[in-house]
Amino acid sequence: MPHNSSARKHGGEHSDGGGSASKIQRVKAGRVSEDNEKKSSSKRLKDVEISVPIVYGTISFWLGKKANEYHSHKWTVYVRGATNEDLGVVIKRVVFTLHPSFSNPTRAVESPPFELSESGWGEFEIVITIHFHNDVCDKQLDLYHHLKLYPEDESGTQSTKKPVVVETYDEMVFSEPSESFFARVQNHPAVIVPRLPASFNLPPPESIDDMNERKRGDTNDHPLSQWFMNFSEADELLKLAAARQQVQAHIARIKRQMIVKFLGLDDRG
Amino acid sequence: MDAKDILGLPKTPFSAPQEKKPRPQKDSQRKPDGISREVYALTGGLAPLMPSVDVSHLKRHSQADNEKITWRWLPFRSSARTDNLQLYHWVRIVNAVPPTGDYSFAKYNKSVDIVKYTEEEYEKYLTDPMWTKEETDLLFDLCERFDLRFIVIADRFPSSRTVEELKDRYYSVSRQILIARAASSVDVAGHPLVKEPYNATQEIERKRALSMVLSQTKHQERKDAEVLAEAKRITESRIIEKGAEEDELHVTSTEGAEDTERAIIDVESVSPSSNNQLPTATVAPPTATTDGTSTPASLRLLRVYLRTNVLDQMVQAASSSAGLRTIKRVEQTLQDLGVNLKPKVPTKAVCAEHLELRKEILTLLNLQKQLQNKEAEVSSLLDNSFTDIPSTPKRAHRAVDQDRSFIPDSLSFGGERVGKRDHKRKAPGRFSEAPPSPPQSKRPRKFKASDG
């Protein structure tokens, strides 16, 4: 366990301090929960991580006849769930920071789908800052994405029908999530949640009916969804597995060679 | 300037505007007093940048003309002496008036004011089970003689008492006397002896600590410095954290406060406790840890991070021991294998596989290098041992080596090889390479033999 190995590194002192620390923490958390119901849910689940796969990027359309010098492309920057699920369960709001030449370059989007559409002429780096709900995480997460307007091939024939799509897949990992967060999202399709041992009693998740009543934040029927890229981890896994096999075979071969060489040397010598 | 004189050239090139700038010229040509001409010329004939010591600045002899000075050999006594000794010395007589007054150095004969107690005072205030009256008297006598130099006093003391004990006795006696003699306690409250009494145990501790610090080895010093630096870093990060958390509502504030308290008490535990919330940007984990297995521990300190950043950090950690060239070779190998340098779909499983693949490639490259080194050794050994024999055997050996080492280097992972996913078939496939190489080497051997 990595935690223990780091303790061993520091000669066991840390393990004593860590052990007593966690004990104190548990005692204090217990005391606090008696006082305040809300605070009791702040207990953190150790060695648990919740990951939320997201895709963020830009889609840009050439405006064709309607283009003028300063507005040649219409583009949209967004953050969506990797399987087009609603990210509002985790994300409170997303702030897109555009180029200073835009008026009010800091644009905040308070509800899903977290996207922003604009028109312009230049490519620049967009800073995407994700703010989470209070029980998820206090810190914000910064992502950087370069807005691409012009297609790779410089043939110059831009079509108003086919956009330039650049998407990046990534996963936001929350380590040691709070119990309330875990309980809230444990059955949500947007979130990957590990299986906990049966000893944990968590409050049941929100019922599905509530979610239907609220506005839908998923991107399944998004107007741009036809352009969304598909990210399949199966392909990558297969390739990686094959590569590893090859490398392992090479290693085995070299080891055999080395043995042969040394045995051969003994004969000669 | 002398040279120009000899040559008969005008003294300065600016002889015409000499009137305009008389001062600089004048200074360079006029030799100032107190310094020889040659030395002055060394500086280039200009005034020095720093003010040199001018003779006029030195103290002048303050003798007035109306005074007549004579010197006489006269006897003198010193009040500093107790024995009335008479000595002689030269005395400066001004206008035949001999000087008066004590020996001029007698005023430097300072001594400490030791309190002197009477018998009754001793009976009343100063009795102590540990000290007899004789010892106390002796102590005070020694203190007076040696001006409170306790090291000497301790040395001279007949019964072996430590310096701290002597000091303790002396100061407590003086203090008692002082308080006893004072008209009221308020008068002496300001006296240093009364205000800060001597604390023997504290002194012993302090000296012991000092000697420990003095006798620390370099190793210990370095360790102490490390611990202090770590503690400083922790406290600084907590200060930043306090600032960062001010404008955000968070439920775990109670936890955090408890953590900081505990950690401040617990400074010896060097590594940050796992519950510490590091305030560094969530995307950039701290660089304190370099070991691959412990990065999960450090990342647990953050609340949220991106998996790609984790992967980057782990990759860096894994290849930290490798040089730049090795890293490039790893990347080249990855490309040959058809794997993206950064996975397109970085899920947990994919990232783990990617990391493992990189590690295995590193192992492979290391092994290859080892093999090459060993072969180089072997061939050099053979060179030495086979110097007389015609070179065919070792050339063949080298050719074989070249072929063998060539194949791993090229690592031609063409598309057709990737197609064969069945690794069982691969092993014999690899072996099948071995037989071809000796036949290949035969050709160069034959060639060389024909040459030789």
Side-chain angles (χ1 to χ4, degrees), chain B residues 118-310:
Chain B
T118 62
E119 297 273 342
E120 306 90 52
E121 281 182 325
Y122 188 87
E123 297 297 315
K124 262 197 346 193
Y125 310 112
L126 305 174
T127 50
D128 188 290
M130 301 261 298
W131 285 80
T132 66
K133 182 157 193 312
E134 293 81 27
E135 279 199 315
T136 316
D137 288 347
L138 179 59
L139 170 65
F140 270 74
D141 179 49
L142 284 176
C143 285
E144 169 136 31
R145 276 167 57 192
F146 292 112
D147 296 327
L148 289 188
R149 285 179 293 185
F150 282 99
I151 311 271
V152 181
I153 295 168
D155 199 42
R156 296 259 170 162
F157 215 74
S159 60
S160 62
R161 296 262 190 181
T162 67
V163 173
E164 284 81 25
E165 282 179 26
L166 297 172
K167 277 195 188 178
D168 193 22
R169 181 62 177 154
Y170 171 76
Y171 287 123
S172 55
V173 164
S174 310
R175 193 163 182 268
Q176 289 282 56
I177 295 284
L178 217 56
I179 294 173
R181 287 185 189 165
S184 74
S185 59
V186 185
D187 293 342
V188 281
H191 196 275
L193 262 182
V194 176
K195 251 197 336 196
E196 287 138 25
Y198 182 75
N199 187 341
T201 47
Q202 193 185 39
E203 283 294 300
I204 295 174
E205 266 311 299
R206 182 181 67 88
K207 287 182 183 171
R208 193 179 66 82
L210 262 181
S211 70
M212 262 179 54
V213 172
L214 186 62
S215 58
Q216 250 186 359
T217 61
K218 259 215 167 48
H219 181 59
Q220 276 173 307
E221 265 183 47
R222 257 184 278 128
K223 271 204 175 148
D224 282 350
E226 278 172 33
V227 170
L228 284 174
E230 194 73 37
K232 194 167 128 188
R233 221 175 337 124
I234 295 173
T235 48
E236 274 176 4
S237 67
R238 293 190 195 279
I239 292 170
I240 300 172
E241 175 188 289
K242 291 267 190 290
E245 286 178 353
E246 270 169 5
D247 34 51
E248 291 212 14
L249 170 67
H250 50 99
V251 185
T252 57
S253 57
T254 51
E255 258 187 49
E258 287 149 19
D259 287 341
T260 49
E261 280 165 23
R262 233 179 309 113
I264 287 172
I265 298 167
D266 196 18
V267 175
E268 276 88 46
S269 65
V270 170
S271 67
S273 62
S274 58
N275 292 327
N276 184 8
Q277 301 181 14
L278 278 180
T280 54
T282 57
V283 185
T287 53
T289 56
T290 52
D291 182 23
T293 54
S294 68
T295 41
S298 79
L299 289 171
R300 265 194 275 132
L301 305 177
L302 306 172
R303 292 297 171 208
V304 65
Y305 49 88
L306 275 177
R307 207 178 284 289
T308 46
N309 295 317
V310 172

Side-chain angles (χ1 to χ4, degrees), chain A residues 53-246:
Chain A
I54 57 169
V55 173
Y56 61 93
T58 52
I59 295 184
S60 128
F61 287 91
W62 183 51
L63 287 174
K65 281 190 295 192
K66 293 187 235 162
N68 67 21
E69 203 183 327
Y70 293 112
H71 298 276
S72 61
H73 288 75
K74 182 172 171 342
W75 49 267
T76 310
V77 61
Y78 55 88
V79 179
R80 65 176 172 91
T83 45
N84 291 322
E85 297 296 338
D86 180 9
L87 288 177
V89 63
V90 173
I91 301 181
K92 186 162 72 171
R93 74 178 202 274
V94 178
V95 179
F96 298 96
T97 309
L98 308 177
H99 192 266
S101 59
F102 283 88
S103 61
N104 299 332
T106 317
R107 311 274 175 95
V109 180
E110 301 289 335
S111 66
F114 299 104
E115 62 179 17
L116 175 71
S117 295
E118 261 289 347
S119 62
W121 56 269
E123 301 182 346
F124 57 90
E125 186 179 74
I126 306 176
V127 184
I128 306 171
T129 314
I130 303 182
H131 297 260
F132 303 101
H133 289 297
N134 290 344
D135 62 342
V136 173
C137 178
D138 314 327
K139 313 269 186 311
Q140 62 200 40
L141 188 58
D142 292 321
L143 306 167
Y144 302 90
H145 182 81
H146 181 80
L147 167 68
K148 202 158 169 352
L149 301 176
Y150 301 97
E152 286 288 341
D153 53 342
E154 308 187 356
S155 55
T157 52
Q158 297 183 70
S159 124
T160 51
K161 299 280 192 285
K162 208 155 166 307
V164 175
V165 181
V166 181
E167 284 191 332
T168 312
Y169 175 101
D170 214 327
E171 295 190 349
M172 309 189 290
V173 184
F174 302 94
S175 59
E176 299 198 345
S178 67
E179 267 193 10
S180 56
F181 173 41
F182 191 94
R184 198 154 56 85
V185 301
Q186 57 184 327
N187 285 342
H188 197 279
V191 177
I192 298 176
V193 159
R195 194 85 62 74
L196 287 184
S199 57
F200 281 85
N201 335 335
L202 295 168
E206 289 175 350
S207 64
I208 313 291
D209 295 330
D210 291 341
M211 282 170 38
N212 278 339
E213 281 161 12
R214 257 186 282 120
K215 209 167 75 135
R216 283 176 63 187
D218 65 319
T219 46
N220 274 319
D221 295 333
H222 196 273
L224 294 172
S225 61
Q226 57 175 315
W227 305 115
F228 290 164
M229 289 167 63
N230 257 331
F231 293 95
S232 141
E233 84 172 317
D235 279 346
E236 199 116 18
L237 273 178
L238 272 177
K239 269 202 287 187
L240 281 172
R244 281 187 70 184
Q245 282 167 8
Q246 282 200 346

Side-chain angles (χ1 to χ4, degrees), chain A residues 2-3 5-6 9-10 13-14 17 20-22 24-25 28-29 32 38-39 41-44 46-47 49 51 54 56 132 134-143 169-176 231-233 236-251 253-258 260-262 265 268, chain B residues 248-252 254-255 258 262 266 268 270-275 277-279 282-283 291 293-294 296 299-300 302-308 337-340 343-350 353-354 356-357 360-361 363-364 367-368 370-371 374-375 378 382 397 401 404 407-408 411 413 417-418 421 423 426 430-431 433:
Chain A
H3 187 53
S5 72
S6 69
K9 254 203 290 182
H10 294 280
E13 279 183 329
H14 175 61
S20 63
S22 54
I24 294 174
Q25 185 215 358
K28 289 219 166 132
V32 166
K38 180 171 154 232
K39 283 199 183 155
S41 65
S42 73
K43 210 162 92 160
R44 297 233 159 221
K46 276 200 187 324
D47 293 335
E49 62 173 34
S51 59
I54 57 169
Y56 61 93
F132 303 101
N134 290 344
D135 62 342
V136 173
C137 178
D138 314 327
K139 313 269 186 311
Q140 62 200 40
L141 188 58
D142 292 321
L143 306 167
Y169 175 101
D170 214 327
E171 295 190 349
M172 309 189 290
V173 184
F174 302 94
S175 59
E176 299 198 345
F231 293 95
S232 141
E233 84 172 317
E236 199 116 18
L237 273 178
L238 272 177
K239 269 202 287 187
L240 281 172
R244 281 187 70 184
Q245 282 167 8
Q246 282 200 346
V247 172
Q248 279 160 3
H250 269 287
I251 291 178
R253 189 172 63 98
I254 291 203
K255 285 191 178 156
R256 275 194 294 268
Q257 276 185 358
M258 286 174 90
V260 164
K261 280 265 173 318
F262 297 144
L265 177 59
R268 251 186 288 248
Chain B
E248 291 212 14
L249 170 67
H250 50 99
V251 185
T252 57
T254 51
E255 258 187 49
E258 287 149 19
R262 233 179 309 113
D266 196 18
E268 276 88 46
V270 170
S271 67
S273 62
S274 58
N275 292 327
Q277 301 181 14
L278 278 180
T282 57
V283 185
D291 182 23
T293 54
S294 68
L299 289 171
R300 265 194 275 132
L302 306 172
R303 292 297 171 208
V304 65
Y305 49 88
L306 275 177
R307 207 178 284 289
T308 46
L337 287 163
V339 170
N340 303 316
K344 273 259 163 1
V345 189
T347 61
K348 191 164 178 165
V350 166
E353 284 283 308
H354 189 94
E356 291 303 310
L357 178 60
E360 284 173 1
I361 293 179
T363 319
L364 177 64
L367 278 179
Q368 281 173 3
Q370 274 181 31
L371 185 60
K374 294 288 181 193
E375 287 178 351
V378 164
L382 285 177
H397 182 76
D401 294 346
R404 284 262 171 89
I407 292 165
L411 271 185
F413 295 104
R417 298 254 180 101
V418 179
R421 298 266 171 80
H423 58 257
K426 264 221 182 104
R430 286 281 165 272
F431 260 138
E433 282 183 345

